[in-house]
Amino acid sequence: MTALYLVTLAGVAAAGLLTLLRLVRGPRALDRVIALDVLVTMVIAGTAVRTAMDKDTTALPVLLVLALLAFTGSVTAAHLIEKREGMR
Amino acid sequence: MTAFLLAVPVLLPALSAGVTLLGLPRSVVRTLSIVVLTGVLADAAALFVRADAHGPQALNVGDWSAPLGITLVADRLSALLLTVSALVALAVLLFAVGEGAAERLQGPPRVFHPAYLLLVTGVSLAFLTGDLFNLFVAFEVMLAASYVLITLDADEGRTRSGMTYVIAGLTSSLLFITLVALVYAATGTVTLAQLGPRLAELPDGLRGALALLLLVVLGVKAAIVPLHLWLPDSYPTAPAPITAVFAALLTKVAVYALLRTQTLLFPRTGVWTLLACAAIAAMVVGILGALAQDDINRLLSFTLVSHIGFMLFGLALFDARGLSGTILYVVHHIAVQAALFLTAALVVRRAGTAALRHMARWPPPGAWAAALFALPALSLAGVPPFSGFVAKLALLRAGTAQGGPAAYALAGTALLTSLLTLYAMTRVWTSAFMKQQSDPSHGETDPPKPSPPASPWPREHRRRTGRGTGLMTAAAAGVTATGLVIAACAGPLSMVSERAAHDLLDPQAYRSVVLGEEDH
Amino acid sequence: MIRHERARRGLRHLPMIAWLWLLWILLWGSVSWVVLIAGLLVAATVVAAFSLPPVLPGAVPRLLPIGHLLVHLLTDLIRSGTTVAWQVLRHGRNTSAAIIEVQLRVDSDLLIMAVAELTTMTPGTLVAEIDRRRQRLYVHVLPARDPADIARHKDAVRAVERRVARAVGTAPEVGVTGRPPIAGGASGDTSQGREHDQGKGT
Amino acid sequence: MTAVRDVITAVLLPTGAAFCLLGAVGLLRFPDIGSRLHAAAKAQTLGLLLILVGASVQMPLHYAPVLLLVALFQLFTTPITSQIIGRTAYRTRGLDHRLLFGDELAERLARDGTPVDETNGTPPQEEDAER
Amino acid sequence: MLVLLAAHLGVAAAIPWWARRLGRTVWMVAAVLPLATVAWASVSAGRVLDGGAYQESLSWAPRLGLAVALRLDALSLLMLWVVAGVGALVLLYCRYYVERDAGRMAALLLAFAGTMSGLVLADNLFVLYVFWELTTIASFLLIAGRGETAEQRRAARQALLVTAAGGLVMLLGFVVLGQEAGTYRLSTILVDPPRGGLVPVAVVLVLVGAFAKSAQLPLHGWLPAAMVAPTPVSAYLHAAAMVKAGVYLVARLAPALAEVDPWRPMVLGVGLATMVLAAWRALRATDLKLLLAYGTVSELGLLTAVLGIGTRTGALAGAAMLLAHAAFKAALFLSAGIVEHQTGTRDIRQLTGLGRRLPVLFGATALATASMAGLPPLLGYLGKEAVLEAFWHGTVPGNINHLTTAVLVLGFALTVAYAARFLHGAFGGPPGRPTGAPRRPQVGFVAPVAVLAGAGLVLGAGYAGTATVANAYAEGYPAGPQGSYALSLWHGFTPVLGLSALSLILGGLLHAVRRHTLAAAATVPRLPDVQGGYDRAVAGVDRLAVAVTRHTQVGSLPVYLTVLLATVVLVPGAALAAAAPSLGSPPLWWSPAEPLLAVVVVTAAAAVVAARHRLTGILLAGAVGYGVAGVFLVRGAPGLALTQFLVETMTLVVVVLVLRRMPARFVHGRTLPRARLLRVAVAGAVGVLVTCFALATSAARTAPAVSSGYVRRVAETGAHNVVNAIVVDFRALDTLGEISVLLVAAVGVVSLVRNHSHKGAADGGSGEGRRGIFPTAHWDEPRQTWLPGADERPGGERSVLLEVATRLLFPSILVLSLFLLFSGHHHPGGGFSGGLVAGQAFVLRYLVGGRADLGVAVPLPAGAVAGGGLLLAAGIGLLPPILGGVPLESAVVTWHLPVVGAVKFATSLFFDVGVYLLVVGVTLKLLSAVGVSLGDAPAGALGADREEEGSR
Amino acid sequence: MNSALGTTANTLDVTMALAVGALFAVGFYLMMQRSLMRIVLGFVLLGHGTNLLLLVAGGTPGPPPVVEGKTPHPEVADPLPQAMALTSIVITFGLTAFLTALAYRSWRLSRHDEVRDDVEDRRIGTAQERAETADDTGRIPGDAAARAEGRQ
């Protein structure tokens, strides 16, 4: 069972690293916004797996908050981008 | 009762800062601030009396004893400095209120008053806390409030200089928290009283490196050369009362922290050469900087840098006399530096410019202003019989008593600095208080009022000309009088400072009051 | 009378209060009395303190279609995930997308919002623009290599719309979504659009 | 009972991870913002959803709903982000028109008389080219 | 004595007021006190001359050796007579002389008289120094006057700086001296002089101070320059009294310290050289006062030498000479003052024939001059005889008596010469060419001159009285080998008499030779230009100051930071490197997730450096934050991770919103490659340092952490979550500080962003966001109202999807935030995270609905919410002590309710609620600031605006 | 007494030490720039660095310090560094917001995205004119006594 969790974690980790690559490479700010959003998703996924693995429920509020609120950052950034580049 | 006394200087201003934000009318807010600071002053005085009579007073906040909870401790040193600081803070507040009433320039009260009250909170907490991390927090409260105050209603130039101040402050704060982390990593505690023995168990090299890091961290806040560079660029541009309270209190809090930590955490014996070098460098570089200035506030700021060197003097000696001298010097300097900045503010208002080269063309302010300026100026230069002399004398005696080349070098530099300070003060004096007939070298007749166009910040200064209100003058006079009282009470004060120095060198009482009798 | 009115308005907030209560209970993971009472208090307080318009204005939740909707949603999700995954593996840098216009027939903010949400979850579609007045969605669709793809996607969006209308829409809405789509989506609305543009477009 | 749970988990978790990974690959490989958004919004959400469900069955009863709540919130918010980003991407010409098989929105705009200056072809200059 | 001194100061302080009412009479009033002093001194004289002494003492700071100890002995008596007597006469004289600023001058002169009296009475080294410096200050103020001319200012400053510098050196000498002696009481030191150790150093230091004050070569430059002061000031301070302070000090200490090695060479060498050279210089002067000033310098040299020689004869001679000099020099100055006052000039090239016009003045002046030249039977002669005697039979070790005597005779000859030159220059010459018809001075004007000149005659002729006083002082010395010398006008035909005569003849000859070339004074060879030296020194200091400051205070923040960090690297870094502590054997990682997250953190951080766009930078920094939060999760700190995530998102939002209008790109730094390299090096070094430091400290842990106590005692707080228990209970004070920071920072943000709006309103940003709206922008507008205030937003910014979603999510987020608040004691969460979550809810309302909608959502002023939070938190803290407990104390309360059962909660929950409120308020405040920066809605929409209006 | 808190072993691992060091290096490098925005970013990164350091250097890793039931979980993570880091995070956040606002104001007023040099310092640095300002000391006079003689 533990191996299963580890495999899952490895997959999520790999996904996270790829996302990081996108985050760093851009090229546009929107790409980075998306990448950051996905990165958060990866954190949620990873944490969820750990939660199940360790039967440790303390991280649950973190997950809730991330799921519910991470999008405000993305929306703000998108707002900014639209305002700035709206009619170039 | 003790609990109450110790809690009030920290909690009351914080609480009132909350109240000032509730949207009460301006006059209520003003009155509240004044009342609260008066209360803090009275409380601090009572605390001082108690601490002097019965030894260190301690309070376990939240009823958790030391290694777990935070203990507030008032020993002679902290209570003394707290009292003087509260006094100066109150006077400066009155000055600011007077100024605000005169020209409505202090920005919305919802910025000034809460920030000022929190500044006092931070200062009180820094003096009283017995916990390293809490000391960091106290510094942050104080500094954050000071960031707000220094950029209050800032124009371009002041934003720029505020930037310098803020960034230097932030950098030192970051290093401070780094230090706290490292210390905790090494010892597993942040209670000051407990840290001493635990640090002593570390390898010497590591311990020394930690001590030096702490020195650098506090050195930035205390503006020790060469970490002082931010100060003369930032202090002088703030509104006058704010500069006054900064110059009087903030660096002194750092010096206090230096005293506290160097004695409690990293005690040494004998002259510490590095600190002696820093002291000498501070005195020389600072006063030379002052001589190079043309702006009265900048000049005063540089003297501040210079006179920090005096305080390090005693610390470098690290014996009872030296520390006692430092304590005296800190007490004296708090009052005198505040008085100087406040009276300088009065002069600047009158002249419409802070530039000495323009100031001399205006009729000098009256005898009152002259006296108000002269007394602290002479005191700063260490001219007897004012407070500066007493403090300097204590340091000189400490230096010669200890002997050795470093001590003599310190003493010599201190004297040279006194002389150059006097020189700097005469420059101010001749410019500000003597109406100079246009000498041929100036080659121009008196330009029309207000300040000449060459003034660096003409617009701002034009707004701030005129006579100060009575309250301003009274506040300045009050601080000046404090300086005189310090000189007059040199006897009891020196005894107290000596007792405080002994307490510092033998922190057993401090430790046992924090940790309980046997438990450390 | 006024009290009656207020009560009725309060009643319209009941779904939200119920949801918040449920949320509270789920969060605490407990059904003890304390949690239940506190939850009710919290839910009522939050709703009362921050007065907002009712959530479901004129909406009629129907349980069975909602279940239907959810089942479809799940399958859609899985299909969408696989499709995109396939695109990733198969085409990578050479995907082909399109932006299509879908004329909706429901005309309430809530439903349009729901359709847009669900469409974005549906395979290969992602709402790029919403034209609220003219009830159109502009959808970025991913595998779009020929007109058939486009038609397929349009149908899929309309299917979502229909399911949504059935789940929570009013009767007319359910009715209107049942009709075949307006051809081309561009005939009857140009004048309306013009007007709209002149009104707001400066 | 435990066995059933374990089987569910054993199926869901790796699948979810695989979707996550694929989504990430897509994020990296897809050529323009529009398609990357698909990767982000679809594959990732699905992956996460599977993982959450897979994890929740392993949890004690009164905590499992919390994970499902997480999934619910995620399902609700991801489309919002995607739509806003997609909209912004279109408005700021983040979409590569060379990759578009058709653009009915542009046609609509042209018909409305407010055509957008189609740079048809190159996407706007790279905004923040990295070395 | 104390009363007298205090009276001086008190009256001096009052005089400026009286001056307005009393007019010239004020001088009479002022003269009363010196006269009283003289009287008191005379009354006391009997006891003092019998060897007794008056003592008074006032405790000041005994631990520092400070005590206001006063003592009247023979020397003090002598000086007191001089100081007070001359003082009284000068004050009376001023009545006629001074034209303006009478009040100020009278006050200063009187204050000076007081401090000078104090100086001579002081029996404590430091008190002496106190008065010493006070006289310096008085001198500065008197010389500067109103400071209208550069001349006055620089002369005043020179006097101040030179004497103060000397004074400081002397102070150090005093400190050392007292250190060695074990006391700072003068009389004790005199009785039991210290020897050895650092005493020679102390002697040198003290003498330097004395020389500076007494204008000895080469520190004399200030005295001639000080002649710009009004003549009475010159007469009093710079002839009779103040400059005598140095001499007095020499006289005071000589009995004790003359035997110390450097004393005699210094005193004799400097004194005699000064005497000769200054007298020589006096011959060049054409200005009467200047002539007298150099004469004074010369005489002071003599006095220093003779009083410092440290023999009984020397003491006698010195005492007599001291009196003589005070009398005649003051008289001559006053006389010169009258001449100038009446004729308008004091240039001897223009003065001529005054002797016939002003015979009384001439007579008095001539008498004084004669005393100066040392003609019998005047006091000057008495002194001169004794001086010559002292040197001729001196006890100077090493056989240089004859050499010194020769120098002395030369000096006396020159003195005679310049005395003649003065008299001749001022009063001589044919009366033919009147220089502006001198008015005849009033009697009262001349009287002081006459009294002083007469004093010389009386004391000289009645030498017995003089001798009594002088003897009383000289008691301190043992009788010389030749038996004790007595002051007398006639000792018979001794070599000394011959020497005296020789000096007179030489002097007369010199004057005769030179009288024809009076006008061409420049033919007298110049002396080394000490004045230039002073100026060069001052200019040098100024230049040095500018140079140092220019190179340190460059005004560039990056440079400052570089210096700061370089210090960090060099000081603690070097110490650490030198110590080379063990880094322990740390594991590579604790959890495999760590390297992964580390890669995320480091990569994103590195990418920030490369970023050229603001937004890119912020996003990457956000990724770093998320990565760090991930580490927190992995290391078992979910509460921390929760907060970090929230804060990160909030930072992102706030930064993005505040910076919305700033240009997208950074300005490319125009940094020199060298500077950049330096920065890279310094920053890298700091990084390495921190890494090593962290490893070293963490390997060096000696004792277990105190934290186990928290885990053990957490139950007492009623909490399960230890971190939360620490935050709200164990260490609630930290939290109080932390929220204070947050609050004040938010206040600052508002202050920074909004206050300038009236100035910068017109600039409207550099066009971002105003370029135009994409044609589809307003399509998204919802039709129904979802958020009450959103209608006020421009259509182009709305989104139906967002509005509906916000409407649905908002209450849920609030419930979640309340859950976090209340469950903080048991799960990760607490007031802070709860508040941030609620804050995010409002951020969402703001983003989607705009300021108007936020205003509807929170009708309270943001400041009031935040302030209320702080009020609650601090008030909760202050409540227990009022009830007799301990501040910030918390208790676990259990309520038994029907149905529900037992409800347990900790009172620290209220503290947490305060934190929650504060955070919400701070968020609102930040949003209000952001709103202002955007200006996207009419004012008045948000609480902060109303708050502002309400206060007016 | 639980063993993790009682341990005196290294709490820090190499990876984290390096990560912290990298954050410090990058952060301080950015702080030393002229661009205000980079300074802000540098501060943010340094904030992360210090918070991380606070946690990883002092804190023993372990399960979260949440005590379920009566018995403390053995080897829970050290809670004190967590609390301190929590405080530090909040402070950093407040100051970041303030610094951002300051940067914004500076930009609004001056239209520069840079920290400018201090005007007064530059003045002293470039001009010697102050030598002959308000004062007379800078001039090299001849013999002042001679001037005194020349007077009147």
Side-chain angles (χ1 to χ4, degrees), chain F residues 15 20 41 48 50 55-56 61 76 85 90 101 109 115 122 131 145 147:
Chain F
T15 313
V20 168
L41 289 174
H48 293 325
T50 49
L55 184 81
V56 298
V76 295
V90 177
L109 292 173
V115 187
R122 283 288 167 207
R147 277 187 292 156

Side-chain angles (χ1 to χ4, degrees), chain B residues 3-4 7 10-11 14-15 17-19 21-22 26 59-64 67-70 72 108 110-111 115 118 125 131 133-134 137 140-141 144-145 148 151-153 160 163-164 167 171 175 182 184-190 194 198 201-203 205-206 209-210 212-213 216 220 226-230 232-233 274 288-289 291-293 302 328 378 383-385 389-390 392-394 396-397 400-401 408 411 415 418-420 422-423 426-427 429-430 434-437 439 487-488 490-491 494-495 498, chain E residues 60-66 126 129-130 133-134 137 140-141 144-148 150 153 157 160-161 164-165 168-169 171-172 175-176 179 184 198 538 541-542 544-546 548-549 552-553 555 557 560-561 563-565 567-568 571-572 575-576 579 581 690 693-694 696-698 700-707 709-710 713 716-717 729-731 733-734 736-738 740-741 743-745 747-748 751-752 755 759 863-864 867-868 870-871 874-875 877-878 881-882 885-890 925 947-948 951:
Chain B
F4 194 68
V10 177
L11 292 181
L15 187 141
V19 175
L21 283 166
L22 291 181
R26 276 169 192 252
L59 161 67
N60 290 329
V61 178
D63 211 13
W64 295 104
L68 295 190
I70 296 167
L72 295 181
R110 262 158 212 82
V111 178
L118 285 176
L125 187 57
D131 185 285
F133 184 74
N134 199 240
V137 173
E140 287 313 300
V141 175
V148 174
T151 53
L152 196 59
D153 198 25
R160 199 214 60 74
M163 206 85 200
T164 305
I167 289 168
T171 309
L175 291 173
L182 295 176
Y184 185 80
T187 62
T189 183
V190 284
Q194 211 178 19
R198 287 203 177 188
E201 292 167 16
L202 294 181
L206 186 60
L210 283 174
L212 287 175
L213 185 58
V216 171
V220 177
L227 307 170
H228 70 289
L229 295 162
W230 55 272
D233 280 0
L274 181 69
L288 287 181
L291 289 179
Q293 301 306 313
F302 269 105
L328 265 185
L378 290 175
V383 170
F389 164 69
V390 177
K392 191 174 71 187
L393 181 64
L396 282 181
R397 288 198 53 183
T400 51
Y408 277 105
L415 292 178
S418 293
L419 181 67
L420 293 179
L422 189 63
Y423 175 41
T426 59
R427 289 181 44 135
W429 179 266
T430 47
M434 292 181 175
K435 170 151 168 59
Q436 307 184 355
Q437 267 147 16
D439 293 328
S494 59
M495 274 184 269
E498 204 156 310
Chain E
W60 184 8
R63 307 293 303 179
L64 299 176
L66 275 174
F126 296 134
Y129 174 74
V130 168
E133 290 294 42
L134 284 179
I137 300 297
F140 171 79
L141 292 172
R146 284 188 180 179
E148 282 170 352
R153 293 194 298 271
R157 178 181 300 156
L160 177 71
L161 290 183
L168 287 167
V169 173
L171 174 63
L172 188 58
V175 172
V176 176
Q179 202 81 53
Y184 293 92
L198 290 168
V538 171
V541 167
D542 279 351
L544 179 69
V546 171
V548 168
T549 309
T552 55
Q553 203 71 26
L557 181 58
Y560 294 175
L561 279 181
V563 169
L564 201 163
L565 294 175
T567 314
V568 171
V571 180
L576 189 71
V690 170
F693 232 139
T697 47
S698 120
R701 171 72 69 87
T702 50
V706 296
S707 315
Y710 294 120
R713 298 184 63 182
E716 296 169 41
T717 65
D729 201 337
F730 288 110
R731 296 177 64 96
L733 199 56
D734 279 346
L736 194 65
E738 148 204 333
S740 302
V741 172
L743 176 64
V744 81
V747 167
S751 142
L752 279 174
N755 269 358
K759 295 175 209 157
L870 186 60
L871 179 63
L878 210 47
I882 292 173
V886 174
L888 286 166
E889 195 179 356
S890 158
K925 227 163 162 54
E947 174 193 2
E948 204 38 49
S951 67

Side-chain angles (χ1 to χ4, degrees), chain E residues 153-307:
Chain E
R153 293 194 298 271
R154 69 172 308 293
R157 178 181 300 156
Q158 188 183 0
L160 177 71
L161 290 183
V162 173
T163 51
L168 287 167
V169 173
M170 186 184 79
L171 174 63
L172 188 58
F174 281 172
V175 172
V176 176
L177 188 62
Q179 202 81 53
E180 296 292 332
T183 176
Y184 293 92
R185 202 177 176 87
L186 258 174
S187 44
T188 319
I189 292 176
L190 287 177
V191 170
D192 178 20
R195 284 290 178 270
L198 290 168
V199 174
V201 178
V203 162
V204 172
L205 296 173
V206 170
L207 281 181
V208 167
F211 291 165
K213 193 81 168 179
S214 284
Q216 298 297 290
L217 235 55
L219 305 171
H220 70 283
W222 65 269
L223 184 57
M227 290 302 131
V228 296
T231 304
V233 173
S234 306
Y236 191 27
L237 271 71
H238 305 129
M242 188 183 90
V243 289
K244 291 275 173 26
V247 173
Y248 164 77
L249 189 65
V250 169
R252 176 56 83 197
L253 291 177
L257 299 176
E259 300 303 327
V260 178
D261 244 355
W263 179 277
R264 284 209 175 92
M266 276 186 80
V267 168
L268 287 178
V270 172
L272 291 178
T274 306
M275 177 184 185
V276 174
L277 293 177
W280 182 255
R281 181 66 183 74
L283 288 178
R284 273 189 66 214
T286 55
D287 181 299
L288 281 181
K289 279 183 75 176
L290 208 56
L291 195 158
L292 289 175
Y294 279 112
T296 308
V297 174
S298 168
E299 299 277 352
L300 290 171
L302 171 65
L303 285 170
T304 305
V306 72
L307 282 167

Side-chain angles (χ1 to χ4, degrees), chain E residues 414-673:
Chain E
L414 289 169
T415 308
V416 173
Y418 74 70
R421 178 175 157 83
F422 173 79
L423 197 63
H424 186 260
F427 295 96
R433 291 173 288 138
T435 49
R439 288 164 287 131
R440 196 168 284 270
Q442 286 150 290
V443 179
F445 205 179
V446 184
V449 183
V451 170
L452 285 168
L457 181 61
V458 171
L459 290 174
Y463 58 85
T466 316
T468 319
V469 182
N471 277 330
Y473 164 59
E475 288 300 323
Y477 294 102
Q482 286 85 23
S484 58
Y485 175 83
L487 284 179
S488 166
L489 286 176
W490 182 251
H491 290 98
F493 290 103
T494 57
V496 167
L497 185 65
L499 290 173
S500 186
L502 181 64
S503 71
L504 279 175
I505 294 164
L506 272 177
L509 274 179
L510 199 56
H511 181 66
V513 170
R514 304 243 328 110
R515 68 179 291 183
H516 299 295
T517 53
L518 262 184
T523 54
V524 178
R526 291 176 66 116
L527 292 172
D529 186 5
V530 293
Q531 191 58 39
Y534 165 80
D535 285 327
R536 270 191 295 279
V538 171
V541 167
D542 279 351
R543 265 199 304 276
L544 179 69
V546 171
V548 168
T549 309
R550 186 170 50 203
H551 286 112
T552 55
Q553 203 71 26
V554 293
S556 157
L557 181 58
V559 173
Y560 294 175
L561 279 181
T562 312
V563 169
L564 201 163
L565 294 175
T567 314
V568 171
V569 172
L570 290 180
V571 180
L576 189 71
S582 150
L583 298 185
S585 48
L588 276 182
W589 54 71
W590 283 101
S591 141
E594 281 187 357
L596 183 77
L597 291 165
V599 168
V600 172
V601 166
V602 173
T603 314
V608 175
V609 176
R612 292 272 170 272
H613 278 68
R614 285 167 209 287
L615 189 60
T616 307
I618 298 164
L619 290 172
L620 288 169
V624 174
Y626 288 144
V628 169
V631 176
F632 291 160
L633 268 179
V634 171
R635 304 270 301 202
L640 204 52
L642 176 63
T643 313
Q644 172 77 15
F645 279 124
L646 284 167
V647 162
E648 205 48 52
T649 312
M650 194 62 101
T651 308
L652 186 71
V653 169
V654 169
V655 173
V656 165
L657 288 182
V658 170
L659 298 185
R660 255 204 268 201
R661 301 221 158 192
M662 293 174 69
R665 280 168 170 275
F666 299 137
V667 179
H668 284 282
R670 292 174 301 277
T671 322
L672 297 173

Side-chain angles (χ1 to χ4, degrees), chain C residues 97 99 101 120 129 194, chain D residues 42 91 101-102 104 108 112:
Chain C
I99 293 176
E101 180 184 271
T120 308
E129 287 282 358
R194 280 261 167 259
Chain D
K42 305 285 157 28
R91 291 180 186 177
F101 174 73
E104 293 185 0
R108 167 67 62 185
D112 283 359

Side-chain angles (χ1 to χ4, degrees), chain B residues 57-216:
Chain B
Q57 304 284 304
L59 161 67
N60 290 329
V61 178
D63 211 13
W64 295 104
S65 56
L68 295 190
I70 296 167
T71 308
L72 295 181
V73 193
D75 64 352
R76 294 191 176 97
L77 173 63
S78 48
L80 175 65
L81 293 184
L82 182 63
T83 311
V84 182
S85 304
L87 183 66
V88 167
L90 177 63
V92 171
L93 177 68
L94 291 175
F95 188 94
V97 165
E99 190 176 35
E103 38 189 326
R104 300 177 185 284
L105 261 175
Q106 280 309 316
R110 262 158 212 82
V111 178
F112 178 80
H113 286 285
Y116 195 82
L117 285 168
L118 285 176
L119 184 81
V120 174
T121 308
V123 170
S124 306
L125 187 57
F127 281 135
L128 293 179
T129 187
D131 185 285
L132 188 62
F133 184 74
N134 199 240
L135 182 66
F136 164 76
V137 173
F139 266 114
E140 287 313 300
V141 175
M142 181 177 92
L143 289 176
S146 74
Y147 301 152
V148 174
L149 289 173
I150 204 169
T151 53
L152 196 59
D153 198 25
D155 60 9
E156 187 180 338
R158 286 193 22 222
T159 308
R160 199 214 60 74
S161 55
M163 206 85 200
T164 305
Y165 177 75
V166 171
I167 289 168
L170 291 179
T171 309
S172 78
S173 300
L174 288 168
L175 291 173
F176 198 168
I177 188 70
T178 308
L179 176 92
V180 174
L182 295 176
V183 165
Y184 185 80
T187 62
T189 183
V190 284
T191 303
L192 286 179
Q194 211 178 19
L195 273 172
R198 287 203 177 188
L199 283 169
E201 292 167 16
L202 294 181
D204 278 348
L206 186 60
R207 184 162 164 276
L210 283 174
L212 287 175
L213 185 58
L214 181 61
L215 182 68
V216 171

